[in-house]
């Protein structure tokens, strides 16, 4: 069966510090991978998605970047965090099959920028 | 453009009551998929159901049921005999027929509180 891991689970960082959040998927090959952010009291905002190694699509211009160095690894980064980067970050995976692409989510990382 | 509207921001019910969460969507695609996810206090989104636009049959899974009506572009979710463990934020989502680069569009979610 497939599992998805995210770490760390929680993170408190000062403004201006760098960020690296990691997401890995097990039990599947060539998944689509996604990063979402959920700000307090708000819905889900898609940040990045990737259909393959080195292929990253950005949905909104922002202070963050994503990379996919391996097939089942997706990393969210920032060089200098802003207060507005605080939120709950969710990674998701899916496998395209017959035009259907159900996304399954990881446990999330709660980021607080002070 | 695709859009999902969950007009109910928050709902409170007493345990054992039935509750319906509304979802209205907009899309120009003729083939599309609809989803419901549950987000308990722990934060992880849990996949509940997926329906395709060709299948308007209602679905029941235990205390959960879903009513898909293409004529009104709605995909409502009903919990029968609600329990405290049903307390969560519920998201409705929409996707097109994937070509590998069409992500999900989520509604803003409905927070359900079930009171003992």
């Amino acid at each position: 069966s497939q599992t998805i891991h995210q770490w760390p689970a929680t993170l408190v960082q000062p403004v201006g510090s760098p960020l690296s959040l990691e997401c890995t998927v097990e039990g599947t090959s060539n998944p689509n991978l996604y990063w979402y952010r959920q700000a307090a009291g708000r819905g889900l905002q898609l940040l990045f998605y990737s259909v393959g190694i080195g292929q990253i699509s950005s949905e909104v211009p922002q202070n963050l970047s994503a990379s996919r160095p391996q097939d089942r690894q997706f990393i969210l980064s920032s060089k200098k965090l802003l207060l507005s980067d605080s939120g709950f970050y969710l990674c998701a995976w899916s496998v395209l099959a017959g035009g259907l692409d159900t996304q399954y989510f990881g446990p999330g990382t709660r980021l607080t920028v002070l | 453009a695709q859009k999902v509207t969950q007009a109910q921001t928050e709902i409170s019910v007493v345990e054992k009551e039935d509750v319906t969460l509304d979802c209205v969507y907009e899309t120009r695609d003729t083939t599309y998929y609809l989803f419901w996810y549950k987000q308990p206090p722990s934060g992880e989104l849990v996949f509940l159901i997926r329906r395709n636009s060709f299948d308007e049959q209602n679905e029941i899974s235990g205390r959960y049921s879903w009513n898909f009506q293409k004529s009104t572009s709605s995909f409502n979710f009903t919990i029968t005999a609600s329990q405290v463990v049903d307390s969560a934020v519920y998201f409705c989502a929409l996707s097109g027929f994937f070509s590998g680069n069409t992500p999900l569009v989520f509604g803003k979610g409905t927070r359900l509180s079930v009171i003992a």
Side-chain angles (χ1 to χ4, degrees):
Chain A
S1 64
Q2 300 87 1
T3 55
I4 178 169
H5 304 279
Q6 285 186 247
W7 63 90
T10 60
L11 191 59
V12 180
Q13 292 284 95
V15 169
S17 64
L19 173 73
S20 180
L21 303 182
E22 190 164 342
C23 169
T24 58
V25 180
E26 297 176 357
T28 187
S29 296
N30 196 30
N32 293 334
L33 295 172
Y34 307 83
W35 277 113
Y36 289 86
R37 177 171 60 202
Q38 186 177 30
R42 299 179 65 179
L44 289 152
Q45 179 187 35
L46 178 65
L47 302 176
F48 302 94
Y49 65 91
S50 170
V51 299
I53 296 174
Q55 301 178 61
I56 309 294
S57 296
S58 174
E59 286 295 295
V60 292
Q62 57 206 323
N63 186 42
L64 303 169
S65 62
S67 62
R68 185 171 176 173
Q70 300 180 43
D71 181 43
R72 288 168 290 178
Q73 184 185 30
F74 205 22
I75 297 172
L76 183 69
S77 304
S78 173
K79 292 183 179 177
K80 288 186 178 181
L81 282 169
L82 306 173
L83 286 174
S84 57
D85 292 324
S86 293
F88 189 55
Y89 289 82
L90 286 156
C91 180
W93 71 271
S94 67
V95 174
L96 184 63
L100 177 58
D101 194 21
T102 298
Q103 293 182 28
Y104 299 94
F105 287 79
T109 294
R110 197 165 299 279
L111 171 66
T112 303
V113 182
L114 301 175
Chain B
Q2 297 182 326
K3 184 179 178 181
V4 175
T5 301
Q6 293 180 256
Q8 304 151 308
T9 306
E10 294 191 30
I11 301 176
S12 282
V13 298
V14 176
E15 202 171 22
K16 297 184 183 177
E17 286 185 350
D18 299 346
V19 58
T20 296
L21 310 181
D22 298 333
C23 173
V24 174
Y25 62 92
E26 296 175 28
T27 181
R28 293 182 180 176
D29 293 342
T30 54
T31 303
Y32 52 89
Y33 296 92
L34 295 161
F35 303 79
W36 276 95
Y37 287 85
K38 174 182 179 180
Q39 187 178 39
S42 61
E44 180 177 353
L45 260 73
V46 178
F47 166 70
L48 296 178
I49 190 173
R50 172 189 64 229
R51 302 293 284 175
N52 72 54
S53 53
F54 295 130
D55 184 0
E56 289 192 65
Q57 277 192 331
N58 291 334
E59 183 157 340
I60 298 174
S61 176
R63 296 184 297 106
Y64 294 172
S65 62
W66 291 269
N67 183 356
F68 175 31
Q69 295 207 352
K70 215 167 177 178
S71 60
T72 56
S73 298
S74 65
F75 185 43
N76 296 338
F77 173 29
T78 297
I79 302 174
T80 302
S82 60
Q83 301 176 2
V84 173
V85 293
D86 296 327
S87 296
V89 180
Y90 291 86
F91 290 95
C92 180
L94 166 71
S95 75
F97 191 82
F98 275 92
S99 61
N101 59 358
T102 309
L104 277 173
V105 174
F106 282 87
K108 294 190 182 300
T110 297
R111 181 178 300 278
L112 174 65
S113 298
V114 181
I115 303 165

